[in-house]
Amino acid sequence: MTMAFSGEERLPFPRLGTDPESVRQRVESMERVLERLFVMPGINRPVGLDVILDLVPVVGDIAAAVLGAYIVWEARNLGMSRWKIARMAGNVGFDWLLGLIPWVGAIPDFFFRSNTMNLRMIKRHLDKHHPSSATVAGAVTRRS
């Protein structure tokens, strides 16, 4: 059984290319999963896999750090400066250290979102060095 996709139809998963557009899509998807998977009822704050994994002592923190390190690895492959890579690695490391505090370590993840900060750095780099990969966020207006 084969499935055919038309050229206009978007696949539900990020492309696997090394071009800046594919990297942007993968990094945005990973950040969404780690930081904004769903909105927590009652507090109306987005929660992601990073907070959920922090509830599992040690192993969950390591898994969240590895997933955050993937975003740093993608940034390295884009050719970002060593200083920015070091800052991004520091963000992931600080998030990992906060998460090592059993049970209570999940609370800082609501406020310190290392993957979101790293995504912002990558987007700034892509917008500056690869403007063709930029996406415009906002409402679409109808032309008269």
Side-chain angles (χ1 to χ4, degrees):
M1 179 176 176
T2 60
M3 295 174 58
F5 292 101
S6 68
E8 296 288 313
E9 191 174 338
R10 291 183 57 93
L11 297 174
F13 50 86
R15 292 179 292 181
L16 299 176
T18 57
D19 58 297
E21 291 173 22
S22 298
V23 172
R24 178 187 291 264
Q25 190 178 12
R26 281 195 305 271
V27 170
E28 286 175 349
S29 297
M30 179 63 81
E31 186 271 341
R32 190 175 307 112
V33 167
L34 288 172
E35 303 290 2
R36 300 178 286 126
L37 196 56
F38 62 92
V39 176
M40 178 79 77
I43 61 171
N44 289 333
R45 295 230 4 149
V47 175
L49 194 58
D50 194 10
V51 172
I52 296 167
L53 287 172
D54 275 346
L55 297 176
V56 180
V58 183
V59 176
D61 302 316
I62 292 171
V66 168
L67 292 171
Y70 169 76
I71 294 175
V72 178
W73 179 75
E74 285 282 15
R76 182 191 153 278
N77 290 341
L78 283 173
M80 290 180 68
S81 70
R82 289 182 186 202
W83 168 246
K84 288 182 182 175
I85 297 297
R87 282 182 55 199
M88 293 173 72
N91 287 340
V92 172
F94 185 67
D95 191 19
W96 175 71
L97 284 173
L98 287 175
L100 285 177
I101 305 166
W103 299 102
V104 179
I107 295 170
D109 266 338
F110 282 111
F111 307 105
F112 183 77
R113 297 181 181 259
S114 63
N115 300 303
T116 302
M117 289 187 280
N118 290 346
L119 174 66
R120 246 185 263 132
M121 291 172 66
I122 290 173
K123 280 183 170 181
R124 271 189 246 122
H125 174 82
L126 286 172
D127 291 346
K128 182 177 180 182
H129 297 285
H130 305 282
S132 64
S133 72
T135 56
V136 178
V140 176
T141 58
R142 189 173 76 174
R143 293 183 190 181
S144 309

